[in-house]
Amino acid sequence: MSAAGAQAAESATLMTVERGLEVLRAFRSDRTPLTNAELVRRTGLPKATVSRLTSTLLQVGFLRLVPGRREFELSAGALGIGHAYLATNDMLQAAQPLMQELADRLDVSVALGIQDGIDILYVGYRVSRKVATLRLGVGSVLPMGATSIGRAYLWGLPPGQQRALIEEHKRRAGAQGEALEQSIRASFAELAQSGTCAVLGGYQRGTYGVALPIRVGLQGALMSLSCGKADVELDLRSERERIAPALKETAARLQALLAGFDSHL
């Protein structure tokens, strides 16, 4: 094979891998099975491509068919990679005690998130024993543009990346795009003024989140840290005032604790 042919084959292989990962990322932590049609909608890939990829992922043990239905769910092969990553990531393990301390102190859930495409992926999650709802857990994927943890992450990005992601969220929001951008910009103003932002009902009705961005490890990896809870009767301003000091204190302690880690997220 010529050098040009080898390069073309390598590029095609890389594209196939990237698209296969897109299909796997389309599955959420709620473990809801998905059809090929739903995977096409979530990934934006052509129908024939998705059909070919799900067939391959079935064969290699990363997906399985729901018995008696034409729906797919993640199998042990895919879940094992995620669990191994979390179990062996020293930086994430070191963060857990401080997150649990904050959750118990404020009676909230505490999440640590990183970017997953245009969404936020929970890679750390602790909850107070008194919190009976909003138990999302590690592996949950939340919309970046509509949640406090997502907007805090957006605010921490370099301007070019930030603008590109906001434009993508506007595009996907359609007629609601301008209103979404205004809401995001309002959260940015909160972050600039107070160091945190608060969002009510950004992911689930009757829930709130208060969040800020942090930089961790030797590489200064961007993450976002949030406190949240489900409460149908609350004053969001009062909750932010209650939570923000402890959240900022824990964020500073986390950054100091994780500063020497050479762990990649």
Side-chain angles (χ1 to χ4, degrees):
M1 181 183 296
S2 66
Q7 185 175 8
E10 183 178 349
S11 297
T13 300
L14 180 59
M15 181 177 293
T16 299
V17 172
E18 290 175 344
R19 288 178 168 179
L21 292 173
E22 284 186 58
V23 169
L24 293 176
R25 289 193 185 103
F27 290 86
R28 300 295 187 242
S29 60
D30 59 11
R31 303 291 296 277
T32 301
L34 301 175
T35 63
N36 274 339
E38 181 65 17
L39 288 168
V40 168
R41 189 188 69 80
R42 291 193 179 188
T43 64
L45 295 172
K47 182 178 180 180
T49 299
V50 167
S51 180
R52 183 170 63 252
L53 288 170
T54 52
S55 177
T56 301
L57 291 167
L58 273 173
Q59 293 177 33
V60 298
F62 277 49
L63 293 180
R64 64 186 174 205
L65 275 170
V66 178
R69 294 154 62 183
R70 299 183 63 81
E71 294 177 322
F72 302 95
E73 60 185 4
L74 294 177
S75 68
L79 295 172
I81 291 174
H83 291 159
Y85 163 75
L86 294 171
T88 59
N89 190 297
D90 293 339
M91 187 157 63
L92 295 178
Q93 293 302 312
Q96 300 302 311
L98 281 180
M99 294 175 63
Q100 186 65 59
E101 178 184 317
L102 180 62
D104 291 336
R105 178 178 173 184
L106 298 176
D107 291 331
V108 294
S109 62
V110 177
L112 196 59
I114 61 173
Q115 183 178 358
D116 181 22
I118 66 165
D119 296 316
I120 285 290
L121 170 68
Y122 280 4
V123 292
Y125 189 84
R126 309 299 288 183
V127 63
S128 165
R129 294 176 182 85
K130 296 182 181 180
V131 175
T133 56
L134 200 60
R135 292 180 178 270
L136 298 174
V138 170
S140 296
V141 179
L142 276 65
M144 187 182 292
T147 57
S148 62
I149 191 169
R151 292 177 182 178
Y153 187 93
L154 266 175
W155 191 65
L157 287 170
Q161 295 179 41
Q162 184 187 99
R163 283 194 300 271
L165 277 169
I166 291 175
E167 286 302 315
E168 179 61 18
H169 280 284
K170 286 177 61 179
R171 185 186 70 80
R172 296 192 180 210
Q176 302 302 315
E178 291 298 329
L180 176 61
E181 182 178 11
Q182 289 179 16
S183 185
I184 291 172
R185 297 294 179 189
S187 291
F188 286 1
E190 286 183 28
L191 283 155
Q193 180 179 6
S194 68
T196 66
C197 67
V199 174
L200 177 65
Y203 181 66
Q204 295 176 358
R205 188 186 297 263
T207 66
Y208 70 88
V210 181
L212 48 66
I214 61 173
R215 293 275 180 182
V216 299
L218 293 173
Q219 286 78 33
L222 176 63
M223 307 183 77
S224 45
L225 180 69
S226 76
C227 293
K229 196 173 182 178
D231 191 340
V232 294
E233 296 181 3
L234 64 88
D235 181 330
L236 186 60
R237 178 178 295 180
S238 296
E239 279 299 283
R240 185 175 67 181
E241 291 175 355
R242 178 180 78 91
I243 288 170
L247 177 61
K248 289 191 277 190
E249 177 193 348
T250 299
R253 291 171 65 192
L254 267 178
Q255 290 180 135
L257 174 68
L258 304 178
F261 280 80
D262 190 21
S263 184
H264 295 274
L265 296 167

